[in-house]
Amino acid sequence: MDAQRFIIIAIDGGAASGKSSTSRGLRDRFSLLRVDTGSFYRSITLTLLNADIEPKSDQNLADALEGLKLETIIENGDAMISIDGWIPDESIRSERVNHHVSEYAALPEVRKRLLEYQRNQVQVAKANGFAGMIMEGRDIGSVIFPEADVKLYLQADPEARALRRAKEGIVDSMTKRDRIDSTRKNAPLMRPEGSILIDSSHMTLDEVIEEAGKHIEAVLKRD
Ligand code: CDP
Ligand code: CDP
């Protein structure tokens, strides 16, 4: 039998739609490198907040972004960004970052700074022997990898999402983030063309992973 070819899976959706937990399950089942691009936007946001750079397109922002050295470290199958040697921790999930991340992520300069870095994760995955890559975010199937082998779009109704966050004990401006993310000019959150829609409002995590896994199996069998 031929060696399995490298597969790319894109997974997009709003806040608390289940991207991270679903992609962790798929990472383990298919030996994929998992790339959580939300953590990249969160890490850049915290870096800019700490440097007192305001979320607006000006020279201060351009200079700050240009100076950043971005590298990748792999931890338990996840690609972690390192910014000037700093490896982000739980502070990127704080209320402060939740509150501001969408403002910074809407800036074209910020998105441009992360574009090639995100695409380069394919090389990182290949160089480290992964069978493929699963990348989650808001514009993965639409902008970063429109040619991905499988494109998943997760959604869940607002009640289910609010309940999930409450269970996690996290304070999050989810509705506000979703509004900014969906209406920005640059790479807005949308259901990508050719994507598979999974509404997880009334599904357990295992059911979502099972459903998504079927689509990945189908692609692997086809090749
Ligand atoms: O985990 P959750 O879905 O709540 O958020 P996240 O994936 O950590 O993303 C945090 C924020 O980063 C989002 O609300 C977007 O503003 C931004 N983001 C983005 O603009 N593009 C991506 N590909 C990923 C995240
Ligand atoms: O990454 P994203 O913000 O899209 O969502 P997540 O962090 O994967 O999921 C948010 C919370 O919802 C986690 O605590 C998951 O365990 C939970 N979840 C769930 O209860 N049922 C699902 N089908 C998916 C996620």
mmCIF file of all heavy atoms in Angstrom, residues 8-13 17 22 26 141 148-155 190-200 203 207-219 222:
data_model
loop_
_atom_site.group_PDB
_atom_site.id
_atom_site.type_symbol
_atom_site.label_atom_id
_atom_site.label_comp_id
_atom_site.label_asym_id
_atom_site.label_seq_id
_atom_site.Cartn_x
_atom_site.Cartn_y
_atom_site.Cartn_z
ATOM 1 N N ILE A 8 -4.506 18.161 4.658
ATOM 2 C CA ILE A 8 -4.725 19.439 5.347
ATOM 3 C C ILE A 8 -6.217 19.562 5.658
ATOM 4 O O ILE A 8 -7.062 19.413 4.769
ATOM 5 C CB ILE A 8 -4.271 20.625 4.484
ATOM 6 C CG1 ILE A 8 -2.762 20.531 4.226
ATOM 7 C CG2 ILE A 8 -4.622 21.957 5.152
ATOM 8 C CD1 ILE A 8 -2.190 21.650 3.378
ATOM 9 N N ILE A 9 -6.502 19.803 6.930
ATOM 10 C CA ILE A 9 -7.890 19.959 7.356
ATOM 11 C C ILE A 9 -8.087 21.352 7.939
ATOM 12 O O ILE A 9 -7.328 21.782 8.811
ATOM 13 C CB ILE A 9 -8.250 18.884 8.399
ATOM 14 C CG1 ILE A 9 -8.086 17.535 7.703
ATOM 15 C CG2 ILE A 9 -9.681 19.047 8.910
ATOM 16 C CD1 ILE A 9 -7.898 16.408 8.560
ATOM 17 N N ALA A 10 -9.076 22.041 7.411
ATOM 18 C CA ALA A 10 -9.386 23.395 7.902
ATOM 19 C C ALA A 10 -10.638 23.317 8.754
ATOM 20 O O ALA A 10 -11.594 22.622 8.403
ATOM 21 C CB ALA A 10 -9.626 24.323 6.715
ATOM 22 N N ILE A 11 -10.618 24.020 9.872
ATOM 23 C CA ILE A 11 -11.805 24.006 10.734
ATOM 24 C C ILE A 11 -12.075 25.433 11.220
ATOM 25 O O ILE A 11 -11.227 26.059 11.834
ATOM 26 C CB ILE A 11 -11.646 22.939 11.856
ATOM 27 C CG1 ILE A 11 -12.714 23.006 12.919
ATOM 28 C CG2 ILE A 11 -10.335 22.913 12.485
ATOM 29 C CD1 ILE A 11 -12.790 21.699 13.726
ATOM 30 N N ASP A 12 -13.237 25.936 10.835
ATOM 31 C CA ASP A 12 -13.609 27.310 11.181
ATOM 32 C C ASP A 12 -14.923 27.322 11.951
ATOM 33 O O ASP A 12 -15.691 26.355 11.903
ATOM 34 C CB ASP A 12 -13.794 28.144 9.890
ATOM 35 C CG ASP A 12 -12.472 28.377 9.166
ATOM 36 O OD1 ASP A 12 -11.589 29.021 9.759
ATOM 37 O OD2 ASP A 12 -12.326 27.913 8.022
ATOM 38 N N GLY A 13 -15.174 28.442 12.624
ATOM 39 C CA GLY A 13 -16.436 28.597 13.351
ATOM 40 C C GLY A 13 -16.318 29.717 14.366
ATOM 41 O O GLY A 13 -15.216 30.197 14.649
ATOM 42 N N SER A 17 -17.754 27.271 19.351
ATOM 43 C CA SER A 17 -18.482 26.356 18.461
ATOM 44 C C SER A 17 -17.912 24.939 18.568
ATOM 45 O O SER A 17 -18.488 23.988 18.039
ATOM 46 C CB SER A 17 -18.437 26.852 17.004
ATOM 47 O OG SER A 17 -17.102 26.995 16.567
ATOM 48 N N THR A 22 -12.750 19.691 19.143
ATOM 49 C CA THR A 22 -12.891 18.787 17.993
ATOM 50 C C THR A 22 -11.528 18.556 17.339
ATOM 51 O O THR A 22 -11.158 17.424 17.003
ATOM 52 C CB THR A 22 -13.868 19.394 16.961
ATOM 53 O OG1 THR A 22 -15.107 19.659 17.617
ATOM 54 C CG2 THR A 22 -14.093 18.444 15.791
ATOM 55 N N LEU A 26 -9.414 15.034 16.621
ATOM 56 C CA LEU A 26 -8.999 14.629 15.269
ATOM 57 C C LEU A 26 -7.479 14.539 15.168
ATOM 58 O O LEU A 26 -6.938 13.674 14.482
ATOM 59 C CB LEU A 26 -9.570 15.605 14.232
ATOM 60 C CG LEU A 26 -11.108 15.603 14.144
ATOM 61 C CD1 LEU A 26 -11.596 16.751 13.266
ATOM 62 C CD2 LEU A 26 -11.625 14.261 13.612
ATOM 63 N N GLY A 141 -10.476 27.942 5.938
ATOM 64 C CA GLY A 141 -10.999 27.369 4.697
ATOM 65 C C GLY A 141 -11.260 28.408 3.620
ATOM 66 O O GLY A 141 -11.364 28.078 2.442
ATOM 67 N N ALA A 148 -7.804 23.187 1.066
ATOM 68 C CA ALA A 148 -7.663 22.123 2.076
ATOM 69 C C ALA A 148 -8.424 20.863 1.646
ATOM 70 O O ALA A 148 -9.426 20.944 0.933
ATOM 71 C CB ALA A 148 -8.196 22.624 3.418
ATOM 72 N N ASP A 149 -7.949 19.694 2.086
ATOM 73 C CA ASP A 149 -8.577 18.429 1.702
ATOM 74 C C ASP A 149 -9.972 18.280 2.307
ATOM 75 O O ASP A 149 -10.867 17.727 1.689
ATOM 76 C CB ASP A 149 -7.699 17.256 2.168
ATOM 77 C CG ASP A 149 -6.351 17.290 1.481
ATOM 78 O OD1 ASP A 149 -6.309 16.983 0.287
ATOM 79 O OD2 ASP A 149 -5.362 17.683 2.129
ATOM 80 N N VAL A 150 -10.114 18.746 3.549
ATOM 81 C CA VAL A 150 -11.422 18.733 4.204
ATOM 82 C C VAL A 150 -11.611 20.084 4.876
ATOM 83 O O VAL A 150 -10.724 20.559 5.588
ATOM 84 C CB VAL A 150 -11.513 17.611 5.282
ATOM 85 C CG1 VAL A 150 -12.880 17.626 5.956
ATOM 86 C CG2 VAL A 150 -11.244 16.234 4.678
ATOM 87 N N LYS A 151 -12.774 20.697 4.627
ATOM 88 C CA LYS A 151 -13.075 21.975 5.270
ATOM 89 C C LYS A 151 -14.305 21.778 6.148
ATOM 90 O O LYS A 151 -15.364 21.372 5.646
ATOM 91 C CB LYS A 151 -13.357 23.041 4.214
ATOM 92 C CG LYS A 151 -12.157 23.324 3.324
ATOM 93 C CD LYS A 151 -12.289 24.676 2.656
ATOM 94 C CE LYS A 151 -12.664 24.545 1.221
ATOM 95 N NZ LYS A 151 -12.670 25.858 0.534
ATOM 96 N N LEU A 152 -14.136 22.030 7.428
ATOM 97 C CA LEU A 152 -15.248 21.857 8.366
ATOM 98 C C LEU A 152 -15.684 23.223 8.858
ATOM 99 O O LEU A 152 -14.835 24.098 9.117
ATOM 100 C CB LEU A 152 -14.797 21.023 9.562
ATOM 101 C CG LEU A 152 -14.260 19.612 9.253
ATOM 102 C CD1 LEU A 152 -13.602 19.014 10.494
ATOM 103 C CD2 LEU A 152 -15.395 18.715 8.763
ATOM 104 N N TYR A 153 -16.992 23.401 8.977
ATOM 105 C CA TYR A 153 -17.495 24.641 9.574
ATOM 106 C C TYR A 153 -18.410 24.263 10.730
ATOM 107 O O TYR A 153 -19.421 23.590 10.541
ATOM 108 C CB TYR A 153 -18.250 25.483 8.539
ATOM 109 C CG TYR A 153 -18.624 26.830 9.100
ATOM 110 C CD1 TYR A 153 -17.654 27.824 9.247
ATOM 111 C CD2 TYR A 153 -19.928 27.102 9.511
ATOM 112 C CE1 TYR A 153 -17.977 29.053 9.794
ATOM 113 C CE2 TYR A 153 -20.254 28.334 10.064
ATOM 114 C CZ TYR A 153 -19.271 29.304 10.197
ATOM 115 O OH TYR A 153 -19.584 30.528 10.753
ATOM 116 N N LEU A 154 -17.984 24.643 11.939
ATOM 117 C CA LEU A 154 -18.754 24.278 13.128
ATOM 118 C C LEU A 154 -19.652 25.429 13.556
ATOM 119 O O LEU A 154 -19.232 26.582 13.510
ATOM 120 C CB LEU A 154 -17.811 23.951 14.293
ATOM 121 C CG LEU A 154 -16.874 22.753 14.147
ATOM 122 C CD1 LEU A 154 -16.216 22.444 15.480
ATOM 123 C CD2 LEU A 154 -17.621 21.522 13.654
ATOM 124 N N GLN A 155 -20.852 25.096 13.966
ATOM 125 C CA GLN A 155 -21.692 26.112 14.586
ATOM 126 C C GLN A 155 -22.498 25.513 15.711
ATOM 127 O O GLN A 155 -22.663 24.293 15.801
ATOM 128 C CB GLN A 155 -22.579 26.808 13.565
ATOM 129 C CG GLN A 155 -23.664 25.940 12.980
ATOM 130 C CD GLN A 155 -24.533 26.721 11.986
ATOM 131 O OE1 GLN A 155 -24.075 27.623 11.292
ATOM 132 N NE2 GLN A 155 -25.795 26.357 11.917
ATOM 133 N N MET A 190 -16.739 33.345 8.007
ATOM 134 C CA MET A 190 -17.844 32.949 7.129
ATOM 135 C C MET A 190 -17.754 31.447 6.899
ATOM 136 O O MET A 190 -16.727 30.834 7.178
ATOM 137 C CB MET A 190 -17.717 33.664 5.781
ATOM 138 C CG MET A 190 -16.359 33.390 5.136
ATOM 139 S SD MET A 190 -16.334 33.503 3.371
ATOM 140 C CE MET A 190 -16.168 35.227 3.134
ATOM 141 N N ARG A 191 -18.848 30.904 6.417
ATOM 142 C CA ARG A 191 -18.792 29.482 6.075
ATOM 143 C C ARG A 191 -18.115 29.365 4.719
ATOM 144 O O ARG A 191 -18.623 29.844 3.708
ATOM 145 C CB ARG A 191 -20.213 28.905 6.022
ATOM 146 C CG ARG A 191 -20.167 27.437 5.751
ATOM 147 C CD ARG A 191 -21.520 26.788 5.706
ATOM 148 N NE ARG A 191 -21.345 25.486 5.089
ATOM 149 C CZ ARG A 191 -22.309 24.741 4.632
ATOM 150 N NH1 ARG A 191 -23.548 25.141 4.736
ATOM 151 N NH2 ARG A 191 -22.049 23.573 4.064
ATOM 152 N N PRO A 192 -16.927 28.749 4.659
ATOM 153 C CA PRO A 192 -16.188 28.693 3.392
ATOM 154 C C PRO A 192 -16.902 27.848 2.340
ATOM 155 O O PRO A 192 -17.620 26.907 2.680
ATOM 156 C CB PRO A 192 -14.857 28.027 3.770
ATOM 157 C CG PRO A 192 -14.810 27.982 5.247
ATOM 158 C CD PRO A 192 -16.210 28.061 5.753
ATOM 159 N N GLU A 193 -16.683 28.204 1.104
ATOM 160 C CA GLU A 193 -17.238 27.443 -0.014
ATOM 161 C C GLU A 193 -16.755 25.993 0.075
ATOM 162 O O GLU A 193 -15.569 25.753 0.338
ATOM 163 C CB GLU A 193 -16.706 28.059 -1.303
ATOM 164 C CG GLU A 193 -17.771 28.300 -2.344
ATOM 165 C CD GLU A 193 -17.136 28.824 -3.599
ATOM 166 O OE1 GLU A 193 -16.685 29.989 -3.563
ATOM 167 O OE2 GLU A 193 -17.076 28.051 -4.588
ATOM 168 N N GLY A 194 -17.646 25.072 -0.127
ATOM 169 C CA GLY A 194 -17.259 23.654 -0.136
ATOM 170 C C GLY A 194 -17.034 23.072 1.249
ATOM 171 O O GLY A 194 -16.511 21.962 1.373
ATOM 172 N N SER A 195 -17.433 23.801 2.299
ATOM 173 C CA SER A 195 -17.184 23.269 3.649
ATOM 174 C C SER A 195 -18.345 22.388 4.112
ATOM 175 O O SER A 195 -19.470 22.501 3.622
ATOM 176 C CB SER A 195 -16.973 24.420 4.638
ATOM 177 O OG SER A 195 -18.115 25.242 4.664
ATOM 178 N N ILE A 196 -18.035 21.524 5.067
ATOM 179 C CA ILE A 196 -19.042 20.642 5.666
ATOM 180 C C ILE A 196 -19.530 21.317 6.940
ATOM 181 O O ILE A 196 -18.724 21.646 7.817
ATOM 182 C CB ILE A 196 -18.410 19.276 6.000
ATOM 183 C CG1 ILE A 196 -17.962 18.598 4.700
ATOM 184 C CG2 ILE A 196 -19.356 18.400 6.794
ATOM 185 C CD1 ILE A 196 -16.763 17.704 4.895
ATOM 186 N N LEU A 197 -20.829 21.524 7.004
ATOM 187 C CA LEU A 197 -21.395 22.203 8.176
ATOM 188 C C LEU A 197 -21.763 21.184 9.244
ATOM 189 O O LEU A 197 -22.456 20.200 8.957
ATOM 190 C CB LEU A 197 -22.647 22.974 7.743
ATOM 191 C CG LEU A 197 -23.458 23.622 8.858
ATOM 192 C CD1 LEU A 197 -22.718 24.806 9.456
ATOM 193 C CD2 LEU A 197 -24.820 24.058 8.339
ATOM 194 N N ILE A 198 -21.270 21.402 10.456
ATOM 195 C CA ILE A 198 -21.689 20.552 11.578
ATOM 196 C C ILE A 198 -22.271 21.463 12.660
ATOM 197 O O ILE A 198 -21.562 22.316 13.189
ATOM 198 C CB ILE A 198 -20.520 19.716 12.151
ATOM 199 C CG1 ILE A 198 -19.890 18.836 11.056
ATOM 200 C CG2 ILE A 198 -21.005 18.846 13.319
ATOM 201 C CD1 ILE A 198 -18.724 17.976 11.530
ATOM 202 N N ASP A 199 -23.543 21.288 12.940
ATOM 203 C CA ASP A 199 -24.165 22.052 14.031
ATOM 204 C C ASP A 199 -24.106 21.186 15.281
ATOM 205 O O ASP A 199 -24.750 20.143 15.359
ATOM 206 C CB ASP A 199 -25.611 22.408 13.691
ATOM 207 C CG ASP A 199 -26.207 23.350 14.733
ATOM 208 O OD1 ASP A 199 -25.880 23.189 15.939
ATOM 209 O OD2 ASP A 199 -26.980 24.241 14.356
ATOM 210 N N SER A 200 -23.299 21.637 16.242
ATOM 211 C CA SER A 200 -23.031 20.792 17.408
ATOM 212 C C SER A 200 -23.895 21.155 18.615
ATOM 213 O O SER A 200 -23.641 20.674 19.715
ATOM 214 C CB SER A 200 -21.547 20.894 17.782
ATOM 215 O OG SER A 200 -21.277 22.162 18.335
ATOM 216 N N MET A 203 -25.114 18.019 19.989
ATOM 217 C CA MET A 203 -24.248 16.847 19.805
ATOM 218 C C MET A 203 -23.201 16.817 20.899
ATOM 219 O O MET A 203 -22.720 17.863 21.335
ATOM 220 C CB MET A 203 -23.518 16.928 18.448
ATOM 221 C CG MET A 203 -24.417 16.694 17.240
ATOM 222 S SD MET A 203 -23.544 17.164 15.730
ATOM 223 C CE MET A 203 -22.697 15.637 15.337
ATOM 224 N N GLU A 207 -19.587 12.740 19.324
ATOM 225 C CA GLU A 207 -20.406 12.650 18.099
ATOM 226 C C GLU A 207 -19.861 13.576 17.009
ATOM 227 O O GLU A 207 -19.837 13.227 15.832
ATOM 228 C CB GLU A 207 -21.868 12.999 18.407
ATOM 229 C CG GLU A 207 -22.587 11.902 19.172
ATOM 230 C CD GLU A 207 -23.955 12.331 19.708
ATOM 231 O OE1 GLU A 207 -24.219 13.553 19.828
ATOM 232 O OE2 GLU A 207 -24.749 11.445 20.035
ATOM 233 N N VAL A 208 -19.411 14.752 17.422
ATOM 234 C CA VAL A 208 -18.867 15.710 16.442
ATOM 235 C C VAL A 208 -17.576 15.139 15.839
ATOM 236 O O VAL A 208 -17.383 15.171 14.615
ATOM 237 C CB VAL A 208 -18.585 17.088 17.096
ATOM 238 C CG1 VAL A 208 -17.935 18.037 16.100
ATOM 239 C CG2 VAL A 208 -19.863 17.701 17.652
ATOM 240 N N ILE A 209 -16.732 14.581 16.699
ATOM 241 C CA ILE A 209 -15.462 14.014 16.217
ATOM 242 C C ILE A 209 -15.733 12.846 15.268
ATOM 243 O O ILE A 209 -15.095 12.709 14.225
ATOM 244 C CB ILE A 209 -14.569 13.590 17.413
ATOM 245 C CG1 ILE A 209 -14.124 14.833 18.193
ATOM 246 C CG2 ILE A 209 -13.351 12.783 16.943
ATOM 247 C CD1 ILE A 209 -13.467 14.547 19.525
ATOM 248 N N GLU A 210 -16.717 12.034 15.617
ATOM 249 C CA GLU A 210 -17.085 10.888 14.782
ATOM 250 C C GLU A 210 -17.557 11.353 13.410
ATOM 251 O O GLU A 210 -17.118 10.845 12.377
ATOM 252 C CB GLU A 210 -18.192 10.107 15.523
ATOM 253 C CG GLU A 210 -18.530 8.746 14.974
ATOM 254 C CD GLU A 210 -17.298 7.864 14.786
ATOM 255 O OE1 GLU A 210 -16.398 7.914 15.629
ATOM 256 O OE2 GLU A 210 -17.263 7.140 13.754
ATOM 257 N N GLU A 211 -18.411 12.356 13.418
ATOM 258 C CA GLU A 211 -18.971 12.883 12.165
ATOM 259 C C GLU A 211 -17.845 13.482 11.291
ATOM 260 O O GLU A 211 -17.729 13.174 10.100
ATOM 261 C CB GLU A 211 -20.021 13.953 12.526
ATOM 262 C CG GLU A 211 -20.549 14.777 11.373
ATOM 263 C CD GLU A 211 -21.463 13.973 10.461
ATOM 264 O OE1 GLU A 211 -21.919 12.903 10.901
ATOM 265 O OE2 GLU A 211 -21.685 14.418 9.317
ATOM 266 N N ALA A 212 -16.997 14.300 11.906
ATOM 267 C CA ALA A 212 -15.892 14.923 11.151
ATOM 268 C C ALA A 212 -14.927 13.846 10.663
ATOM 269 O O ALA A 212 -14.433 13.902 9.527
ATOM 270 C CB ALA A 212 -15.168 15.926 12.049
ATOM 271 N N GLY A 213 -14.686 12.847 11.522
ATOM 272 C CA GLY A 213 -13.755 11.766 11.179
ATOM 273 C C GLY A 213 -14.197 11.010 9.930
ATOM 274 O O GLY A 213 -13.367 10.605 9.117
ATOM 275 N N LYS A 214 -15.509 10.853 9.757
ATOM 276 C CA LYS A 214 -16.031 10.143 8.576
ATOM 277 C C LYS A 214 -15.615 10.851 7.294
ATOM 278 O O LYS A 214 -15.258 10.211 6.305
ATOM 279 C CB LYS A 214 -17.566 10.101 8.641
ATOM 280 C CG LYS A 214 -18.120 8.983 9.461
ATOM 281 C CD LYS A 214 -19.640 8.944 9.299
ATOM 282 C CE LYS A 214 -20.254 8.294 10.522
ATOM 283 N NZ LYS A 214 -21.613 8.751 10.795
ATOM 284 N N HIS A 215 -15.674 12.163 7.323
ATOM 285 C CA HIS A 215 -15.315 12.929 6.122
ATOM 286 C C HIS A 215 -13.815 12.824 5.830
ATOM 287 O O HIS A 215 -13.390 12.790 4.681
ATOM 288 C CB HIS A 215 -15.728 14.393 6.279
ATOM 289 C CG HIS A 215 -17.213 14.567 6.358
ATOM 290 N ND1 HIS A 215 -18.013 14.496 5.251
ATOM 291 C CD2 HIS A 215 -18.042 14.754 7.420
ATOM 292 C CE1 HIS A 215 -19.280 14.665 5.613
ATOM 293 N NE2 HIS A 215 -19.320 14.816 6.935
ATOM 294 N N ILE A 216 -13.020 12.755 6.885
ATOM 295 C CA ILE A 216 -11.571 12.626 6.693
ATOM 296 C C ILE A 216 -11.244 11.232 6.160
ATOM 297 O O ILE A 216 -10.476 11.076 5.212
ATOM 298 C CB ILE A 216 -10.817 12.927 8.016
ATOM 299 C CG1 ILE A 216 -11.129 14.350 8.468
ATOM 300 C CG2 ILE A 216 -9.312 12.717 7.846
ATOM 301 C CD1 ILE A 216 -10.596 14.733 9.833
ATOM 302 N N GLU A 217 -11.881 10.213 6.751
ATOM 303 C CA GLU A 217 -11.688 8.832 6.266
ATOM 304 C C GLU A 217 -12.030 8.742 4.780
ATOM 305 O O GLU A 217 -11.320 8.087 4.018
ATOM 306 C CB GLU A 217 -12.606 7.847 7.015
ATOM 307 C CG GLU A 217 -12.373 7.711 8.503
ATOM 308 C CD GLU A 217 -11.177 6.819 8.839
ATOM 309 O OE1 GLU A 217 -10.470 6.403 7.917
ATOM 310 O OE2 GLU A 217 -10.961 6.580 10.043
ATOM 311 N N ALA A 218 -13.115 9.393 4.393
ATOM 312 C CA ALA A 218 -13.563 9.318 2.997
ATOM 313 C C ALA A 218 -12.491 9.886 2.067
ATOM 314 O O ALA A 218 -12.216 9.323 1.007
ATOM 315 C CB ALA A 218 -14.873 10.079 2.830
ATOM 316 N N VAL A 219 -11.858 10.961 2.480
ATOM 317 C CA VAL A 219 -10.805 11.572 1.651
ATOM 318 C C VAL A 219 -9.592 10.644 1.601
ATOM 319 O O VAL A 219 -8.993 10.436 0.546
ATOM 320 C CB VAL A 219 -10.405 12.962 2.210
ATOM 321 C CG1 VAL A 219 -9.131 13.467 1.576
ATOM 322 C CG2 VAL A 219 -11.530 13.948 1.986
ATOM 323 N N ARG A 222 -10.212 7.747 -0.722
ATOM 324 C CA ARG A 222 -10.318 8.142 -2.122
ATOM 325 C C ARG A 222 -8.943 8.166 -2.798
ATOM 326 O O ARG A 222 -8.808 7.920 -3.970
ATOM 327 C CB ARG A 222 -10.925 9.555 -2.148
ATOM 328 C CG ARG A 222 -11.645 9.933 -3.392
ATOM 329 C CD ARG A 222 -12.322 11.265 -3.206
ATOM 330 N NE ARG A 222 -11.386 12.338 -2.904
ATOM 331 C CZ ARG A 222 -11.733 13.481 -2.301
ATOM 332 N NH1 ARG A 222 -12.958 13.677 -1.916
ATOM 333 N NH2 ARG A 222 -10.835 14.422 -2.083
#
